[in-house]
Amino acid sequence: MLNEHQLASYHQDGFCVIPNFKDLQQCQDLQYRAEQIVADAAVEDISIFTTTEQQRNADDYFLSSGDKIRCFFEEEAIDDQRKLKIDKKLAINKLGHAMHQYDPVFSRFSCDLKLQQICRQIGFTDPRLLQSMYIFKQPRIGGEVNIHQDSTFLYTDPLSVVGFWFALEDATLENGCLWGLAGGHKTPLEKIMKRKSDDMGIEFENLKDNRYLADDFTPLPVKAGTLIMFDGRFPHFSKANRSDKTRHAYTLHIIEGSAHYPEFNWLQREDKQPFPSFDSLLSALQNPL
Ligand code: FE2
């Protein structure tokens, strides 16, 4: 559970930092599993992930990944013929977007009772695990993630998404730690990313221009095992990783089950099943098919 200071910080600043939320063994287990998934992945179907070219890269592979485990590659690791220029394990940008449900190692990491309690503490009545991402932030080519609010991509009415960002390795200024704008969660939602009506790609609906300045953001360097949790309107970004170290992180996004989840959101389950609760994931882990 969050202590009084952490809870106050979450409400006032839109985020809070919880050191030692996971132990190093848990972090290493997840890293090992992610590397196995990449090693087993076929690379015929190359899909690039970059937030600077998000519109162009929102292909069907991305749009249908909401209930799957898929690999997305770094733009700088792909040549003009869409072939990998470097070793697959160093070319991967992220895994997404349902490891929490379909991989037992990720499920165990995600079904954390402490996390469930925190969700209740910050006001969730029916927390649903919507999305997971494993972010590699590779040495030298780990792409920047530009300033955004997570509710832009995971919209509910009323807004409810909370991001849980786990550092699996030390995140530093050199390898591309998170940066955030304290109190920025009180600014309006700038835009909403929507599927186009013909389902061919995505578009943005602009709501407001908050004119964020990167100079107003503060870096959030943290040790491995730290959890940073933040409100869906908390503006944040990370710079490119030009160092020779990786910066692995795992993120979970949780929404309120009673909030309306529109069909225009990019993340839709092809099986039309509801997003899982902590309890349903726990029972699936305890009673595997
Ligand atoms: Fe984000």
Side-chain angles (χ1 to χ4, degrees):
M1 299 269 281
L2 302 179
N3 62 34
E4 224 170 276
H5 172 74
Q6 288 165 334
L7 191 59
S9 157
Y10 178 74
H11 288 304
Q12 277 163 32
D13 301 330
F15 76 102
C16 82
V17 177
I18 310 162
N20 304 312
F21 190 86
K22 295 284 189 181
D23 64 38
L24 291 182
Q25 188 63 54
Q26 290 172 301
C27 294
Q28 283 164 13
D29 289 348
L30 206 68
Q31 283 181 271
Y32 181 66
R33 180 63 194 136
E35 282 158 11
Q36 274 183 327
I37 292 172
V38 175
D40 293 344
V43 291
E44 293 83 50
D45 199 3
I46 298 278
S47 185
I48 297 167
F49 185 81
T50 151
T51 61
T52 50
E53 292 283 346
Q54 204 142 33
Q55 212 142 346
R56 185 168 63 79
N57 290 303
D59 50 21
D60 186 55
Y61 182 82
F62 173 80
L63 289 175
S64 58
S65 65
D67 54 1
K68 301 181 182 66
I69 298 174
R70 287 189 168 164
C71 299
F72 298 88
F73 290 92
E74 288 288 352
E75 190 164 34
E76 293 181 33
I78 310 294
D79 67 16
D80 295 343
Q81 273 74 51
R82 296 182 72 78
K83 298 275 184 242
L84 289 179
K85 289 195 281 194
I86 55 175
D87 190 337
K88 180 171 63 166
K89 70 179 183 212
L90 293 172
I92 184 92
N93 169 290
K94 71 171 181 180
L95 301 176
H97 289 94
M99 290 83 70
H100 60 284
Q101 187 165 9
Y102 296 117
D103 183 272
V105 178
F106 277 87
S107 275
R108 266 192 294 280
F109 191 97
S110 309
C111 280
D112 187 319
L113 280 178
K114 290 189 291 181
L115 212 53
Q116 194 174 13
Q117 287 171 333
I118 287 173
C119 284
R120 304 274 180 206
Q121 209 178 0
I122 60 173
F124 280 99
T125 55
D126 178 18
R128 298 287 174 141
L129 291 91
L130 173 65
Q131 169 185 266
S132 49
M133 293 189 287
Y134 188 101
I135 302 161
F136 292 82
K137 205 78 163 178
Q138 299 286 0
R140 292 173 286 280
I141 60 165
E144 70 170 314
V145 175
N146 48 24
I147 299 173
H148 66 281
Q149 297 161 295
D150 287 350
S151 288
T152 288
F153 306 100
L154 305 167
Y155 182 84
T156 63
D157 184 13
L159 299 180
S160 66
V161 69
V162 175
F164 295 88
W165 191 97
F166 301 89
L168 304 173
E169 298 178 305
D170 294 351
T172 66
L173 286 173
E174 289 72 36
N175 68 4
C177 66
L178 275 185
W179 291 64
L181 180 64
H185 65 306
K186 293 172 183 163
T187 58
L189 184 61
E190 275 205 320
K191 51 189 172 182
I192 307 174
M193 188 171 97
K194 296 182 167 183
R195 281 178 181 250
K196 288 183 179 167
S197 47
D198 57 7
D199 252 3
M200 299 294 283
I202 51 99
E203 58 193 354
F204 286 92
E205 179 187 348
N206 293 311
L207 304 175
K208 183 91 177 76
D209 184 357
N210 290 332
R211 297 183 187 272
Y212 298 125
L213 296 172
D215 286 351
D216 294 335
F217 285 58
T218 43
L220 301 169
V222 291
K223 291 280 181 201
T226 300
L227 166 63
I228 303 177
M229 53 178 282
F230 44 88
D231 184 280
R233 277 191 297 166
F234 177 66
H236 57 284
F237 72 91
S238 63
K239 297 182 180 180
N241 180 9
R242 300 299 178 198
S243 78
D244 59 3
K245 292 196 169 66
T246 51
R247 195 230 61 190
H248 289 200
Y250 176 59
T251 67
L252 262 181
H253 286 93
I254 294 179
I255 55 169
E256 170 57 40
S258 61
H260 174 58
Y261 188 84
E263 288 189 358
F264 62 63
N265 271 330
W266 80 265
L267 195 162
Q268 300 293 337
R269 296 189 62 95
E270 288 196 331
D271 60 11
K272 305 290 180 200
Q273 291 300 303
F275 297 114
S277 62
F278 281 96
D279 291 340
S280 67
L281 284 187
L282 272 174
S283 95
L285 266 178
Q286 285 155 3
N287 308 294
L289 292 176

